[in-house]
């Protein structure tokens, strides 16, 4: 199979221009408590304050803003457990095009409701027995819609890279950057920005312990497919990295570490108690990786990409009470 052309930092810079005025330039937050605890300077890029509550809006809006008039008329189709769904639904609404989203029937109720609230049609499936990609391709073909996958798309990757671009432009070069990892859109986009703006920065992806396909893929030098992992990090229940995300990660990322569900709950509690932030379990991966990933970050300047804050309040209370 011919190798696909990989997006570059120029694509990230072009994406930043396209989404300006639509995506929020999210704040970079600090915590003296965690700095003292880890003996490092941590810079939290708070994408939980992004439109629709997660970084996914960046890539979604960038991809849809590049549609031709004919594509806009026929609309967009996406598959997602939640955040990409909302990102595509909101972007489609803003750009005046129809959207259909294929979502697991057990997706968080808040994510299902928000996706419908942005005007998208939602088609549900069983994530443990049905293939969302096959379902999506069939609907897209029948309706002539353009399928925008959650991570393995050059425009999506470029859009996601704008979060790290903003972080480096605000705080300068970093020694480490920890990024939540599902399918690799955020990690590969962040790597493109780091390579251009902070070349000495060591980038680590952090994925759930139960779903370490990325870690296995790096070790084996090929994309490893796994069963849908059972983890509270619903945004990282991916089964494999992408044809575009994997080569960028292999080239530019220092390593991939994992975090347990218990460590994610600990990070959620820290964010809620000390930083007064609601962060979804998936969004806690980056901090958990910095704390428990085994890197000696003492004395370092460390970026933490907080990917999102979309979690049902009942579930949030239940996890914090556990």
């Amino acid at each position: 199979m011919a190798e696909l052309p990989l997006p570059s930092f120029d694509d990230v810079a072009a994406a930043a221009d396209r989404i300006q005025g639509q995506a929020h330039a999210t704040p970079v937050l600090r915590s003296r408590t965690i700095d003292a605890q880890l003996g490092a300077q941590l810079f939290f890029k708070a994408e939980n304050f992004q439109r629709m509550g997660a970084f996914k809006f960046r890539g979604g809006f960038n991809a849809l803003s590049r549609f031709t008039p004919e594509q806009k008329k026929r609309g967009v189709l996406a598959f997602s457990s939640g955040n990409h769904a909302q990102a595509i639904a909101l972007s489609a609404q803003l750009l005046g095009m129809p959207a259909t989203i294929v979502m697991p029937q057990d997706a968080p109720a808040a994510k299902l409701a928000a996706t419908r609230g942005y005007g998208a049609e939602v088609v549900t499936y069983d994530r443990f027995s049905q293939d969302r990609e096959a379902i999506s391709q069939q609907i897209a073909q029948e309706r002539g819609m353009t399928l925008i996958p959650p991570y393995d798309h050059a425009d999506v990757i470029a859009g996601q890279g704008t979060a790290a671009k903003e972080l480096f432009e605000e705080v300068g070069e970093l020694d480490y950057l920890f990024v939540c990892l599902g399918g690799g859109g955020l990690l590969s986009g962040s790597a493109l920005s780091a390579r251009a703006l902070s070349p000495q920065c060591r980038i680590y992806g952090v994925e759930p312990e139960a779903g370490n396909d990325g870690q296995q893929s790096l070790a084996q030098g090929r994309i490893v497919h796994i069963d849908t992992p059972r983890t509270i990090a619903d945004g990282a229940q991916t089964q494999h990295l992408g044809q575009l995300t994997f080569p960028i990660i292999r080239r530019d990322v220092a390593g991939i570490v994992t975090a347990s569900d218990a460590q994610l709950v600990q990070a959620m509690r820290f964010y809620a108690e000390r930083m007064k932030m609601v962060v979804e379990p998936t969004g806690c991966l980056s901090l958990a990786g910095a704390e428990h990933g085994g890197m000696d970050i003492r004395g370092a300047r460390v970026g933490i990409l907080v990917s999102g804050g979309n979690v049902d309040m009942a579930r949030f209370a239940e996890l914090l009470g556990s």
Side-chain angles (χ1 to χ4, degrees):
M1 197 174 91
E3 283 191 12
L4 297 163
L6 300 178
S8 68
F9 180 69
D10 287 345
D11 298 309
V12 178
D17 290 340
R18 269 183 223 110
I19 69 173
Q20 194 173 7
Q22 294 291 347
H24 297 324
T26 51
V28 176
L29 304 176
R30 302 292 310 277
S31 162
R32 285 190 299 185
T33 304
I34 198 84
D35 284 0
Q37 206 175 303
L38 300 181
Q41 281 182 288
L42 272 64
F43 300 87
F44 295 87
K45 179 62 169 166
E47 284 293 294
N48 50 316
F49 296 130
Q50 187 50 264
R51 284 184 87 158
M52 47 69 47
F55 75 95
K56 295 272 190 182
F57 179 74
R58 296 171 179 275
F61 191 87
N62 184 51
L64 268 57
S65 66
R66 303 200 68 195
F67 275 25
T68 64
E70 179 59 25
Q71 284 177 304
K72 274 188 181 169
K73 199 172 97 181
R74 289 179 174 273
V76 62
L77 188 126
F79 52 85
S80 160
S81 65
N83 285 337
H84 179 64
Q86 291 172 78
I88 293 294
L90 175 56
S91 299
Q93 185 189 60
L94 293 169
L95 292 162
M97 67 175 90
T100 299
I101 317 288
V102 175
M103 295 181 75
Q105 60 203 22
D106 64 345
K111 291 184 179 181
L112 285 162
T115 304
R116 291 188 176 109
Y118 292 132
E121 176 196 351
V122 173
V123 175
T124 59
Y125 73 100
D126 180 339
R127 74 162 98 215
F128 296 105
S129 68
Q130 291 179 284
D131 181 350
R132 65 182 188 172
E133 297 184 34
I135 294 166
S136 303
Q137 278 161 352
Q138 189 184 341
I139 298 170
Q141 214 165 5
E142 285 167 5
R143 302 184 187 180
M145 299 177 107
T146 301
L147 176 61
I148 297 292
Y151 53 86
D152 209 25
H153 188 286
D155 293 334
V156 170
I157 292 167
Q160 315 310 26
T162 62
K165 177 179 181 285
E166 287 173 12
L167 173 63
F168 290 120
E169 286 171 348
E170 182 168 337
V171 306
E173 296 197 21
L174 295 169
D175 300 308
Y176 292 92
L177 177 65
F178 290 89
V179 183
C180 313
L181 172 60
L186 184 61
L187 180 58
S188 55
S190 299
L192 295 176
S193 291
R195 199 175 182 210
L197 302 174
S198 184
Q200 301 309 309
C201 181
R202 292 176 65 77
I203 310 154
Y204 285 90
V206 189
E207 60 190 350
E209 204 171 64
N212 72 331
D213 59 290
Q215 201 177 46
Q216 290 181 54
S217 298
L218 271 195
Q220 295 184 31
R222 63 180 180 87
I223 298 172
V224 171
H225 290 246
I226 60 168
D227 290 334
T228 300
R230 294 185 184 268
T231 168
I232 60 170
D234 64 280
Q237 283 181 302
T238 43
Q239 295 172 282
H240 57 86
L241 297 175
Q243 300 294 330
L244 294 173
T245 62
F246 177 61
I248 297 171
I249 290 168
R250 191 159 69 157
R251 181 188 70 193
D252 295 338
V253 168
I256 294 172
V257 297
T258 64
S260 67
D261 280 2
Q263 288 165 351
L264 297 182
V265 171
Q266 182 195 337
M268 275 175 92
R269 188 173 289 118
F270 167 78
Y271 281 129
E273 288 178 351
R274 305 310 300 242
M275 296 182 76
K276 313 307 171 198
M277 291 203 301
V278 172
V279 180
E280 64 188 279
T282 309
C284 294
L285 284 164
S286 48
L287 175 58
E291 284 191 90
H292 307 288
M295 269 66 68
D296 182 5
I297 61 170
R298 285 170 304 177
R301 288 167 52 81
V302 181
I304 305 289
L305 238 157
V306 183
S307 62
N310 292 327
V311 56
D312 285 339
M313 281 299 107
R315 179 71 172 139
F316 186 68
E318 181 195 331
L319 287 169
L320 292 190
S322 61

